[in-house]
Each structure stands twice: as structure tokens, then as C-alpha cells.
């Protein structure tokens, strides 16, 4: 009986979270990130009452009532001017597996998003194939082809245990920022979501650039979560919202994916990587549904 209640409560959490995604995609109330429309995330009173009653009965209300009681998440207003934003990733498919909610949000707001992929992902000798797959995935995510750059530097090759030179990465980022008049950078945090050493090196390379450069560039990192949150699917939306509210205004932003199916479509373009366990990852990963970004500069 206990397992039945747990299973039912988890199912209700998924349903509530998916409803939240659907509601957000059809509501004018959107998170203010790189925008001047600072607004609140409202949920309908009927949905609130329905899920409050059911989750109280199942002893899970403590985890979901907090986001509902806090119906308004006020975030600082950002500049109305459209930004030139550089997304720095390590391998083709990083953009689809981890950053799709952010990409979807930024493109929907009309910002100019540039993607810098540090390697071709040639660990298995499929670099050229994976490069083309990245172009196809970015087309699904509505990133223009001419705003995508994939490097194939001998010193920055894909692979576990291959340490990338942070100074070299900083120099590359500096060149991209200068050539594209970039004013904002997005990348991994110090753990790199999956713990891949190349992801971590990209983070440290961006950090090195920020410490060395005289340019005033705003930078954000995609926060890693523990394994339970990571594989909780849309349920992590609630934890992400609560987490973002614990920080000073404007320091952390929670971005919901208004069309999670686009993440599947984009990742499916990476046919060389689209094996069964990655299909499961995209289905159950919280990064398909929500991104939490923290300011690093």
C-alpha cells in the first residue's frame, strides 16, 4: 500500500509539473531573464487547490506547497536591448542534452545566440559526423547556422582524462567575444552537470577569461544538481523555483522549457549518439524541462 501511495504521489508530481510547463508556455507571465518584463510566475487557483489536497493526503505537500504558496517570483528587470549571447559547450549534443530550455527561452525573446563548441566530439572517430549533427540540432533549436562554430584544435580533443589548457580556452573565448561583440556568456558550472572533465575545463577556461579580460561581459553557469533531482524529470521545476528564490534578486534564474518535445527532436538529430540510454536520459533528465542559471560575473 505504501509503494502504491508513493507511486501515485510521484505520478501527481509529474502531472503537476507538466501542467506547469504547459501553463508557462501559454501564459504571458514569463521569467525575466535578459528582458525588461520582470513578471511573476502564477499558477491557477483551481490547480493549486487540487494538488494541495491530494499531496497533503499523500504526505508530500511539504515539497510542493512552498512553490504554490509563493505564487509570485519577482526577478530583477534586465535591459530591453537584445543581447549577443555566447553559449560555450564542450561537445556536439551538449546543447540539446543540457541547455535546450535556455536556448528555447533566448531564441523566443529574439536574442542573438552564438554557439561555440570547443571540440568535434571525435573520441570515437566520428568528429565530422557529430559536427553535422550539431548543425541539424541547432536548426531545430532555431539557432542560425552562421552563428555556430565548432573547433578542431589538436590540443582540445574530446575524451575522458584529456585535460584542456585553460589559458588556451580563455584565449579562444576572448577572440569570440571580440569578434561577435558578445556581452553575455553561458556555460557549464565547475562540476559540468555530468562530471565530464571537458565540461569542467570549459567552465575554468571561461573563468580564466573573466579574470584576465578587461571587457565587461556578463557570465552565467548552468547549475549541476544531485542525482535525485537530475533524474526527477519535470518534478525538479519546483525545487529549481524554490532554490532560485533563496538567492538575491537577479543572481539566479529558473528557465522553464515551453516545448520539451523540441529537446527530443534536437537530440534525435545526433543519430550517432541517440542510443537507448541517452533516450532515457532525455526523458527523465530535469535538464529537458528546466535550467537554473547562476551569475558568475
Amino acid at each position: 500500500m505504501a509503494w502504491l501511495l508513493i507511486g501515485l504521489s510521484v505520478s501527481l508530481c509529474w502531472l503537476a509539473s507538466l501542467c506547469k510547463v504547459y501553463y508557462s508556455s501559454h501564459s504571458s507571465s514569463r521569467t525575466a531573464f535578459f528582458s525588461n518584463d520582470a513578471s511573476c510566475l502564477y499558477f491557477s487557483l483551481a490547480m493549486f487547490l487540487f494538488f494541495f489536497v491530494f499531496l497533503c493526503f499523500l504526505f508530500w505537500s511539504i515539497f510542493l506547497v512552498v512553490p504554490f504558496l509563493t505564487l509570485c517570483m519577482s526577478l530583477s528587470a534586465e535591459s530591453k536591448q537584445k543581447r549577443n549571447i555566447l553559449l560555450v559547450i564542450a561537445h556536439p549534443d551538449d546543447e540539446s542534452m543540457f541547455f535546450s530550455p535556455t536556448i528555447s527561452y533566448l531564441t523566443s525573446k529574439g536574442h542573438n545566440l552564438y554557439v561555440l563548441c570547443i571540440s568535434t566530439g571525435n573520441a570515437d572517430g566520428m568528429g565530422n559526423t557529430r559536427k553535422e549533427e550539431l548543425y541539424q540540432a541547432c536548426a531545430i533549436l532555431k539557432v542560425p547556422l552562421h552563428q555556430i562554430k565548432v573547433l578542431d584544435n589538436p590540443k582540445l580533443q574530446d575524451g575522458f582524462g584529456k585535460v584542456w589548457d585553460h589559458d588556451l580556452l580563455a584565449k579562444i573565448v576572448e577572440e569570440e567575444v571580440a569578434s561577435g561583440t558578445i556581452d553575455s556568456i553561458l556555460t557549464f558550472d565547475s562540476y559540468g552537470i555530468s562530471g565530464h572533465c571537458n565540461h569542467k575545463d570549459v567552465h575554468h577556461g571561461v573563468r580564466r577569461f573573466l579574470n584576465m579580460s578587461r571587457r565587461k561581459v556578463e557570465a552565467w553557469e548552468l547549475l549541476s544538481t544531485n542525482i535525485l533531482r537530475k533524474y526527477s524529470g519535470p518534478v525538479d521545476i519546483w525545487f529549481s523555483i524554490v532554490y532560485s528564490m533563496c538567492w538575491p534578486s537577479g543572481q539566479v534564474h529558473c528557465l522553464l522549457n515551453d516545448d520539451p518535445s523540441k529537446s527530443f527532436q534536437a537530440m534525435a538529430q545526433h543519430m550517432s549518439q541517440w542510443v537507448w540510454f541517452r533516450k532515457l536520459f532525455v526523458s527523465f533528465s530535469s535538464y529537458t524541462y528546466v535550467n537554473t542559471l547562476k551569475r558568475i560575473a
Side-chain angles (χ1 to χ4, degrees):
M1 183 63 180
W3 285 108
L4 179 61
L5 291 176
I6 293 174
L8 181 58
S9 62
V10 170
S11 298
L12 286 172
C13 288
W14 270 72
L15 180 60
S17 304
L18 290 174
C19 287
K20 176 65 174 174
V21 171
Y22 178 81
Y23 175 82
S24 298
S25 66
H26 289 77
S27 172
S28 59
S29 177
R30 297 288 299 276
T31 302
F33 181 61
F34 292 145
S35 171
N36 73 326
D37 57 341
S39 56
C40 301
L41 293 176
Y42 292 106
F43 210 47
S44 67
L45 179 61
M47 292 295 292
F48 166 73
L49 293 174
F50 176 80
F51 288 111
F52 178 82
V53 172
F54 271 86
L55 294 174
C56 276
F57 177 75
L58 296 172
F59 306 102
W60 274 59
S61 60
I62 189 173
F63 298 106
L64 294 179
V65 168
V66 173
F68 282 125
L69 290 180
T70 311
L71 294 176
C72 177
M73 183 173 63
S74 298
L75 300 172
S76 62
E78 302 287 345
S79 171
K80 185 176 182 179
Q81 181 181 1
K82 300 305 180 184
R83 301 290 191 91
N84 294 320
I85 304 164
L86 179 66
L87 172 62
V88 186
I89 57 177
H91 318 111
D93 76 14
D94 288 345
E95 81 297 333
S96 300
M97 292 184 69
F98 308 118
F99 290 92
S100 59
T102 299
I103 294 174
S104 178
Y105 176 85
L106 294 176
T107 55
S108 71
K109 293 296 183 181
H111 296 293
N112 297 315
L113 180 65
Y114 297 81
V115 177
L116 174 61
C117 187
I118 301 299
S119 77
T120 61
N122 197 40
D124 298 321
M126 303 181 68
N128 290 333
T129 298
R130 296 193 64 185
K131 181 178 179 180
E132 293 301 319
E133 291 171 348
L134 173 61
Y135 294 145
Q136 295 170 18
C138 284
I140 297 292
L141 297 172
K142 297 183 179 180
V143 180
L145 180 62
H146 67 276
Q147 293 176 191
I148 306 166
K149 186 173 184 178
V150 184
L151 305 181
D152 191 13
N153 190 308
K155 297 181 180 180
L156 301 171
Q157 291 297 304
D158 176 24
F160 287 99
K162 292 188 177 182
V163 179
W164 289 355
D165 187 326
H166 298 170
D167 288 327
L168 176 57
L169 289 168
K171 181 179 179 181
I172 291 172
V173 173
E174 170 72 32
E175 293 173 352
E176 292 301 312
V177 169
S179 64
T181 62
I182 300 298
D183 48 44
S184 301
I185 299 175
L186 304 174
T187 193
F188 295 101
D189 67 358
S190 59
Y191 184 71
I193 313 302
S194 65
H196 197 295
C197 58
N198 296 161
H199 296 180
K200 297 178 180 179
D201 286 333
V202 167
H203 168 83
H204 291 299
V206 171
R207 280 273 192 178
R208 186 69 56 86
F209 158 73
L210 294 172
N211 292 334
M212 296 171 55
S213 177
R214 296 181 179 178
R215 298 177 182 275
K216 293 184 178 180
V217 180
E218 189 176 283
W220 299 80
E221 60 186 2
L222 177 61
L223 295 182
S224 301
T225 61
N226 61 55
I227 193 169
L228 293 178
R229 287 184 56 191
K230 184 177 181 179
Y231 294 108
S232 63
V235 175
D236 189 57
I237 289 172
W238 309 106
F239 296 101
S240 297
I241 291 175
V242 173
Y243 177 84
S244 66
M245 292 189 298
C246 295
W247 287 81
S249 179
Q251 292 300 307
V252 174
H253 286 282
C254 175
L255 304 181
L256 306 187
N257 192 345
D258 60 2
D259 186 5
S261 65
K262 189 180 294 184
S263 298
F264 287 85
Q265 296 173 27
M267 190 58 203
Q269 304 307 306
H270 295 277
M271 289 301 297
S272 64
Q273 309 299 305
W274 196 226
V275 292
W276 67 270
F277 58 87
R278 286 196 177 91
K279 293 178 181 179
L280 287 177
F281 178 89
V282 176
S283 299
F284 291 96
S285 170
S286 61
Y287 294 96
T288 298
Y289 305 94
V290 60
N291 279 171
T292 304
L293 302 177
K294 180 176 178 292
R295 187 191 295 268
I296 57 177

